Amino acid sequence: MKTIRPTILLACLWLLFSSCFTTTVNAETTGENPITSADLETIVEQENDTEATISYVLEDKKNLILKTDQAAVLNIDALKEELGAEKVDQKNELETVVTLDDPDAIDFKLHVDKEKPFFLTVLDADQVEVFKYQFNVEKKVARSVNDDAAEEATWTHAEKLRVSKGPIMEHSDGAKTQPIFYFGDYIYAEKGIVKVSSTWVQRRKSRENSLTSPNTGIIYSEAGGNLDEGSSDPKNHIYTNHYGDNQKKDYDAPLHDEEDLPFGTPTSYTSNNLFNFVVHSNNWLKPGTSGPNKLGKAYAMVGEPALYYRINQKTGFEEQRLVYKQRAFYSDKRGKTNPEITTTIKMSFTRTGRVITDISFKNTGKVLFNNFSGFSNHDLSLNKDGKELQDQRGRKIGNYIPMRSLTNDRGMYIQAPNNEVRTNFYMNHNDGPGTWAARSASRSYLATKGYMYNPGLLGLIGVQKETYYPWKVGKGQNNFFFDHKTNSYKFPYTPSGKFNAFKDQRDPGDKGKTRALGTRLGTDNENDPQWDAGLTMRTAPIDLKVGETKHLQYGTKTDIPGSNFCPVVEFDGLSYEDFPQVLPVGSRELTMKGHWYDFDSQKVKIYYALDSEKPEELKKNILLEGTQSKDEAENGTFHDFTKKINISELEKGLHKVRLIAEDEDGNQSVLQEHNFKLIKKAVANKGPQIDVTAPLGTKRKPYLPVTDKFDLHGFWSDGKNKMVKSLSYTIDGGEEKTFESNLQNPKLGQLVAWHIPDFDISEYNDFQQHRMVLKITDAEGMTDTDTFYFKHVGGGTHLVAPEEIDFGKVTVATKSDQAQKPDLKGNKVLLEDFRKEGATPLGVKLTVRKFYLQTDNPNDGDDEDDGDDSSTTIDPQTRSKESLVHGVLWDGQPVASKSFIVGRTEGAKDSQWRQTTDLSSEIEKKLKINFWSKESGATPGKYVSRWTWSTVDSVQ
């Protein structure tokens, strides 16, 4: 049963607030025409309201008109205090005129309601609209990240940060290790009780917790320890790999600026070059960038990030995703391009414990995003149990450490000088970064121009040039950039002749460079001074079209040698059953590449079994017998290998290799699998060939999509014709549809990949098995076909309900018969049912709890009559003991219980795979609540109730 717990707001009195902020304005003039312009510069959510900064240039008439479509959403008293009472003329509840004639002012602050959705329209003195913006809707918009409701139904929205745990590795000495991942700082996510929003708060110019930092770690549990207890068990040790992640014990106020304190991972984040549309770089190869933690700016983030989780059906482990939106400007500006990017960061485990981070940047705006690049910025530090890693003498050894090559373009690693912990970063994924550089990092709250050039006087006197992250040039060893006591560069500087990431967009960084295993990156000299270790990954620059998505993917794996280590084997390019490696029939050998390491044993064997699931078959074939010296074992040295497996006798179709490693002490690695498919290749003077290779979908084992869309992949070949007329398909014998035509075939007989992205099967909204026939037709009319089968199977349910429901502004007394209707504000209560045909009817149950006065007093408690606050969605600091008396009416009848049915599906589940029931109009029509005060009266203010929506399997 899934539950949704939106917060319900009852406003008895909309309160008034004030604050302050500053900004700047750029203005242009043309000839003699006076300029009249205004724009929304910043939006900063305060504790009690939202502060908006409006910049303006008024060269003629000095008035602006502020119009809203809702009453009591502007703080007029605060506006009068800001501008002077005589400069604010409130015409009515929906219109206010402000006079802005101070010659030294360029902006003003407007405090608005932070809960109620409303439009603010700003007009000039002649009633001409200047800009329009809708407040308090972006949180909901950010969560609509996928057009496929079935895909969204697989994710559960989480209000609280959480830690996801991967496979447990048991060591022969009784110790255990378990990889973990989470967003932001581990200390906030560990217990699963801290809200996302409560850590997305201001820390001077930045945020308390850098949530766009996808962080990983590992729990090492000594023999007798309990992994589930986390840091609460003294036998457990938590290792992390980013500065400020589980490092709060290193806090020393005099040594840090508040924004850079060693908690909240302040210098690691995900972003892009959107800022270049706000302030243009003086060199297009070095576009401006910004961090997502810069307060109030649309290019940093619009609204708050939204967190989701689900169980990966292939691995059985939990995965998480974080979604947020960025825009150049809050509202469209005349003459300004205003692109918008929605970023989704997804983390998941492989069966071996590697964490795969997939970052997708989607153009969700209205315009083309020219020269787009997405960034993943990491400030690296090895930390243990709340502070930077230390050696036996208590010296810090986790930061300012060398970054080293994994060779063969795999990526890089960092390793503690005492070999206590090592973290590998793998870049050789299908959607791996376009470029990456092991250099330094940047601050998450800065927005920089990229490249600044000021020619000075005649280009000769006073010339100024400066570059900024990730293009910042290296510096010399003077005291401002270099610490001579530690012989290292200060953050974020790197040596002269280097860059803190890249020279420009054409610089590949460390990607593609041939470096020996273990070679220090960023320099050619092992003994060169160290800098603050950082890693920047970047997508290759492209013009990102509206609706188009660009991915950046990498892997992370952390190892703790302990006293008895299991061998680790990492194969390059392992393929899954749904996306196998493809080879032509007749191939004689399958090449297996990778590397192995072991921190204690000197001998390791890798075994394999071909097309066999029997345990006794697994050790019949030896792929590799590896040896290493004692010193190599102590250091966990990487050992590359390339081996071949004989497949000459295998027939066409899907095949599987199972692999496992075992050291001389009997410790075994995780069992791994590699899938490959042998397909026919066209030969000369015969017809063409076509094959579907991914996903797997046979008559006996059809593909079971969990969404309405999926990608279809395959290969074709033709050994005779230089052109292929068409690639097409039919489903269930229906209309033939062409998806590619007039294809050039310059290399006769070679396999050529084809791809149908986002193949839409929404019209097959049933549980039947469907037969799809792919066909190739060459220039002479000769054809070949392959068949693919798919069907939907029963899944779960997805309940959608408004995040907030407003009962408006009411007057209460000790008696009341004026029942209030809820305002859903166009939001829906939907029950999406993907269960199997014939499933029992579903009901939606609503639980209404008390309405408590929202307060800032942290000492007030919650006397909820069920005594359970474990799952409350109301911040403890906003609860009080004072409450309103309320009575619920459903369809005109009093409801005796706090839980009651508000809707149901009609009968058993029908033959549709997706069945949607809309309960919105029924709820708005039948639900009413009476509010009245106790005999002692009620304090004016905002009262908040926690409502729970849930599905029940049957309705009595």
Side-chain angles (χ1 to χ4, degrees):
M1 180 177 71
K2 291 186 178 180
T3 62
I4 300 288
R5 300 188 179 95
T7 302
I8 311 304
L9 299 181
L10 167 67
C12 289
L13 177 65
W14 296 103
L15 304 180
L16 302 178
F17 315 96
S18 63
S19 186
C20 60
F21 204 83
T22 60
T23 189
T24 59
V25 169
N26 295 317
E28 298 180 10
T29 60
T30 304
E32 300 299 323
N33 297 325
I35 293 295
T36 296
S37 70
D39 194 30
L40 192 55
E41 284 292 323
T42 63
I43 298 177
V44 180
E45 188 170 311
Q46 309 286 341
E47 184 176 359
N48 298 315
D49 66 359
T50 295
E51 178 192 86
T53 303
I54 297 177
S55 61
Y56 59 88
V57 176
L58 303 175
E59 293 185 347
D60 188 12
K61 300 176 182 178
K62 305 298 183 182
N63 301 110
L64 287 179
I65 303 171
L66 313 179
K67 285 188 176 182
T68 63
D69 62 341
Q70 299 288 328
V73 291
L74 304 185
N75 190 332
I76 301 300
D77 287 350
L79 188 59
K80 290 180 178 179
E81 184 176 346
E82 163 88 2
L83 299 175
E86 72 282 0
K87 303 293 179 68
V88 179
D89 182 9
Q90 187 175 15
K91 301 294 186 181
N92 53 55
E93 287 188 325
L94 303 178
E95 180 178 338
T96 300
V97 178
V98 294
T99 300
L100 305 167
D101 54 3
D102 184 346
D104 296 323
I106 58 174
D107 58 38
F108 67 93
K109 291 167 285 297
L110 183 66
H111 290 261
V112 304
D113 187 89
K114 65 185 291 186
E115 307 289 353
K116 184 184 295 187
F118 71 95
F119 276 101
L120 171 67
T121 304
V122 175
L123 307 96
D124 65 17
D126 297 322
Q127 297 282 338
V128 176
E129 182 178 310
V130 180
F131 74 84
K132 186 177 185 179
Y133 183 75
Q134 188 174 14
F135 283 87
N136 304 322
V137 294
E138 296 293 354
K139 295 178 185 178
K140 301 178 182 61
V141 173
R143 290 167 185 165
S144 301
V145 296
N146 197 303
D147 296 332
D148 193 332
E151 163 68 13
E152 289 302 299
T154 65
W155 292 95
T156 299
H157 176 242
E159 292 199 355
K160 298 171 182 176
L161 295 168
R162 56 198 297 118
V163 173
S164 297
K165 299 181 179 181
I168 297 173
M169 180 64 73
E170 298 184 0
H171 300 247
S172 59
D173 62 354
K176 299 178 181 178
T177 56
Q178 187 173 35
I180 56 177
F181 65 69
Y182 42 88
F183 286 97
D185 194 334
Y186 175 78
I187 62 173
Y188 296 117
E190 180 185 19
K191 301 298 183 182
I193 60 175
V194 178
K195 286 185 178 181
V196 174
S197 58
S198 66
T199 71
W200 191 246
V201 294
Q202 184 173 354
R203 187 203 287 182
R204 200 165 172 261
K205 293 182 291 185
S206 188
R207 298 284 184 182
E208 179 76 8
N209 194 14
S210 187
L211 292 174
T212 69
S213 176
N215 289 331
T216 65
I218 194 168
I219 304 176
Y220 175 79
S221 184
E222 301 171 14
N226 186 346
L227 279 169
D228 292 333
E229 294 297 321
S231 61
S232 300
D233 189 332
K235 289 182 176 292
N236 291 342
H237 303 283
I238 315 298
Y239 292 84
T240 62
N241 47 55
H242 284 77
Y243 170 76
D245 182 12
N246 194 32
Q247 200 184 337
K248 199 167 186 177
K249 292 180 182 178
D250 283 334
Y251 171 66
D252 188 351
L255 299 180
H256 299 277
D257 291 331
E258 185 176 344
E259 293 90 343
D260 299 331
L261 294 174
F263 62 91
T265 59
T267 43
S268 297
Y269 61 89
T270 306
S271 194
N272 52 64
N273 59 337
L274 188 65
F275 182 64
N276 201 60
F277 288 88
V278 180
V279 177
H280 294 290
S281 171
N282 292 126
N283 184 339
W284 69 273
L285 286 172
K286 301 177 181 182
T289 63
S290 66
N293 296 342
K294 188 172 181 64
L295 292 176
K297 297 294 187 178
Y299 55 75
M301 193 175 297
V302 179
E304 292 180 355
L307 179 66
Y308 302 82
Y309 68 94
R310 70 178 177 187
I311 299 299
N312 185 298
Q313 297 302 311
K314 293 181 180 179
T315 64
F317 299 117
E318 183 177 275
E319 56 188 8
Q320 297 186 40
R321 73 175 185 186
L322 188 83
V323 184
Y324 59 97
K325 183 171 294 184
Q326 297 166 291
R327 192 182 305 136
F329 309 99
Y330 281 109
S331 58
D332 292 340
K333 302 177 70 170
R334 190 166 34 217
K336 292 282 189 178
T337 304
N338 191 19
E340 177 183 278
I341 294 294
T342 296
T343 302
T344 301
I345 308 173
K346 187 179 79 169
M347 289 194 286
S348 55
F349 291 107
T350 65
R351 292 187 178 94
T352 64
R354 183 188 291 194
V355 178
I356 307 299
T357 301
D358 183 277
I359 306 172
S360 65
F361 304 94
K362 183 175 183 179
N363 184 342
T364 52
K366 307 172 186 175
V367 296
L368 177 74
F369 193 131
N370 299 100
N371 198 32
F372 171 83
S373 287
F375 294 89
S376 182
N377 172 80
H378 303 258
D379 186 0
L380 302 177
S381 174
L382 295 173
N383 308 316
K384 176 185 178 182
D385 297 338
K387 54 188 176 181
E388 184 183 332
L389 187 68
Q390 298 179 353
D391 62 14
Q392 292 183 338
R393 298 172 58 183
R395 296 177 300 183
K396 293 182 178 181
I397 57 173
N399 208 337
Y400 281 78
I401 56 177
M403 295 166 284
R404 302 188 181 278
S405 171
L406 280 174
T407 198
N408 291 334
D409 214 20
R410 293 192 187 101
M412 56 151 280
Y413 69 93
I414 53 174
Q415 184 165 336
N418 63 358
N419 297 330
E420 184 174 348
V421 57
R422 175 167 68 200
T423 296
N424 306 329
F425 294 88
Y426 293 95
M427 316 296 181
N428 57 341
H429 288 255
N430 289 334
D431 288 313
T435 60
W436 61 273
R439 302 296 186 272
S440 191
S442 177
R443 292 177 169 88
S444 61
Y445 57 88
L446 298 181
T448 55
K449 190 174 181 178
Y451 177 76
M452 182 272 292
Y453 175 75
N454 185 343
L457 181 61
L458 301 177
L460 300 173
I461 302 174
V463 175
Q464 294 178 312
K465 293 188 295 183
E466 184 58 88
T467 52
Y468 304 92
Y469 176 84
W471 331 108
K472 183 181 284 292
V473 297
K475 305 295 182 181
Q477 294 185 9
N478 65 53
N479 290 332
F480 186 80
F481 308 114
F482 192 78
D483 188 334
H484 291 274
K485 291 182 180 179
T486 60
N487 193 38
S488 61
Y489 284 87
K490 300 176 182 179
F491 177 87
Y493 301 106
T494 52
S496 179
K498 308 293 182 182
F499 303 87
N500 76 342
F502 311 99
K503 178 180 180 181
D504 55 33
Q505 286 186 325
R506 294 172 177 166
D507 182 2
D510 292 309
K511 183 172 182 176
K513 293 185 178 180
T514 303
R515 305 296 293 267
L517 187 66
T519 303
R520 182 177 168 188
L521 297 173
T523 179
D524 296 325
N525 190 338
E526 175 71 26
N527 297 318
D528 275 353
Q530 187 58 53
W531 55 86
D532 197 353
L535 169 63
T536 297
M537 290 173 263
R538 176 170 60 84
T539 64
I542 63 168
D543 290 340
L544 195 64
K545 300 176 183 177
V546 174
E548 188 177 1
T549 299
K550 182 68 175 177
H551 286 264
L552 187 158
Q553 190 178 92
Y554 64 94
T556 312
K557 192 175 191 304
T558 298
D559 292 298
I560 306 296
S563 60
N564 210 296
F565 189 76
C566 297
V568 173
V569 183
E570 290 288 347
F571 294 94
D572 296 340
L574 283 187
S575 298
Y576 298 102
E577 187 176 69
D578 280 343
F579 210 111
Q581 180 185 0
V582 175
L583 295 170
V585 171
S587 297
R588 301 188 60 81
E589 294 176 323
L590 174 69
T591 301
M592 302 297 296
K593 293 183 178 181
H595 62 275
W596 67 270
Y597 55 92
D598 193 305
F599 276 94
D600 52 13
S601 299
Q602 292 181 248
K603 295 181 179 180
V604 170
K605 290 183 180 180
I606 302 178
Y607 301 93
Y608 74 92
L610 186 59
D611 288 339
S612 175
E613 301 286 340
K614 298 178 180 179
E616 62 270 20
E617 296 285 332
L618 188 56
K619 290 189 178 181
K620 284 189 175 181
N621 303 300
I622 297 177
L623 180 71
L624 174 147
E625 292 185 81
T627 61
Q628 62 179 352
S629 68
K630 184 177 180 180
D631 287 342
E632 288 176 325
E634 289 179 353
N635 290 319
T637 301
F638 294 94
H639 302 278
D640 271 331
F641 65 85
T642 299
K643 296 293 180 180
K644 297 182 184 295
I645 297 174
N646 187 348
I647 60 171
S648 60
E649 297 182 3
L650 297 182
E651 298 180 351
K652 176 184 176 181
L654 188 69
H655 301 275
K656 180 184 295 184
V657 181
R658 300 168 73 231
L659 305 121
I660 196 167
E662 184 176 271
D663 64 21
E664 59 185 338
D665 301 314
N667 296 306
Q668 291 188 341
S669 70
V670 175
L671 179 67
Q672 300 185 69
E673 296 179 350
H674 176 65
N675 294 267
F676 63 98
K677 188 174 185 178
L678 298 177
I679 66 174
K680 288 183 178 180
K681 187 168 65 171
V683 296
N685 299 320
K686 290 192 176 181
Q689 293 281 335
I690 189 168
D691 282 272
V692 183
T693 58
L696 175 68
T698 66
K699 189 172 184 178
R700 295 181 59 186
K701 193 175 182 180
Y703 179 57
L704 307 176
V706 297
T707 72
D708 278 331
K709 296 178 181 178
F710 57 89
D711 285 2
L712 204 58
H713 296 264
F715 287 84
W716 63 266
S717 61
D718 193 317
K720 183 179 181 182
N721 294 284
K722 289 285 188 177
M723 191 190 79
V724 168
K725 181 180 179 182
S726 65
L727 304 181
S728 59
Y729 67 86
T730 61
I731 297 179
D732 299 336
E735 177 189 357
E736 182 173 349
K737 298 181 179 180
T738 299
F739 62 93
E740 289 192 56
S741 60
N742 299 324
L743 299 169
Q744 298 299 315
N745 184 30
K747 297 181 179 180
L748 296 180
Q750 294 297 307
L751 293 175
V752 181
W754 59 264
H755 176 211
I756 305 179
D758 292 330
F759 183 60
D760 192 338
I761 58 170
S762 56
E763 64 180 284
Y764 304 99
N765 187 27
D766 54 38
F767 296 98
Q768 306 301 312
Q769 181 162 299
H770 297 278
R771 181 173 183 264
M772 181 180 183
V773 178
L774 282 297
K775 185 172 76 172
I776 181 172
T777 305
D778 69 12
E780 297 179 0
M782 298 184 71
T783 65
D784 182 48
T785 62
D786 195 16
T787 307
F788 173 77
Y789 293 87
F790 66 90
K791 68 176 293 187
H792 285 303
V793 294
T797 60
H798 184 220
L799 184 58
V800 179
E803 287 293 312
E804 296 174 352
I805 298 176
D806 193 358
F807 280 86
K809 178 180 177 183
V810 300
T811 302
V812 297
T814 54
K815 293 182 179 181
S816 174
D817 58 0
Q818 298 295 319
Q820 304 295 314
K821 295 176 60 176
D823 182 4
L824 300 185
K825 292 183 168 53
N827 294 302
K828 298 289 187 180
V829 179
L830 300 176
L831 178 57
E832 301 268 17
D833 189 355
F834 300 95
R835 297 175 305 154
K836 64 182 180 180
E837 183 178 359
T840 56
L842 284 175
V844 175
K845 182 174 67 175
L846 174 61
T847 301
V848 179
R849 292 181 171 85
K850 290 182 180 179
F851 286 79
Y852 288 95
L853 176 65
Q854 185 170 324
T855 177
D856 298 326
N857 185 356
N859 298 316
D860 282 341
D862 183 356
D863 63 350
E864 176 61 78
D865 53 9
D866 62 6
D868 179 15
D869 292 333
S870 62
S871 60
T872 180
T873 60
I874 302 175
D875 194 310
Q877 265 101 33
T878 64
R879 294 199 305 264
S880 73
K881 293 183 179 179
E882 183 174 350
S883 63
L884 290 177
V885 182
H886 75 272
V888 178
L889 300 174
W890 180 256
D891 201 14
Q893 300 299 315
V895 177
S897 171
K898 64 182 179 183
S899 299
F900 54 98
I901 300 296
V902 296
R904 63 194 68 189
T905 60
E906 295 184 6
K909 178 76 187 302
D910 62 20
S911 60
Q912 296 183 86
W913 173 62
R914 175 201 274 115
Q915 181 177 306
T916 303
T917 304
D918 188 345
L919 306 175
S920 312
S921 60
E922 194 83 347
I923 291 171
E924 287 187 310
K925 177 181 177 183
K926 294 183 177 180
L927 178 61
K928 293 184 179 181
I929 296 184
N930 259 320
F931 298 99
W932 56 92
S933 66
K934 299 175 182 178
E935 292 295 333
S936 57
T939 302
K942 186 179 295 185
Y943 288 77
V944 179
S945 170
R946 176 167 58 93
W947 286 15
T948 302
W949 306 81
S950 57
T951 57
V952 290
D953 290 335
S954 62
V955 180
Q956 303 297 329

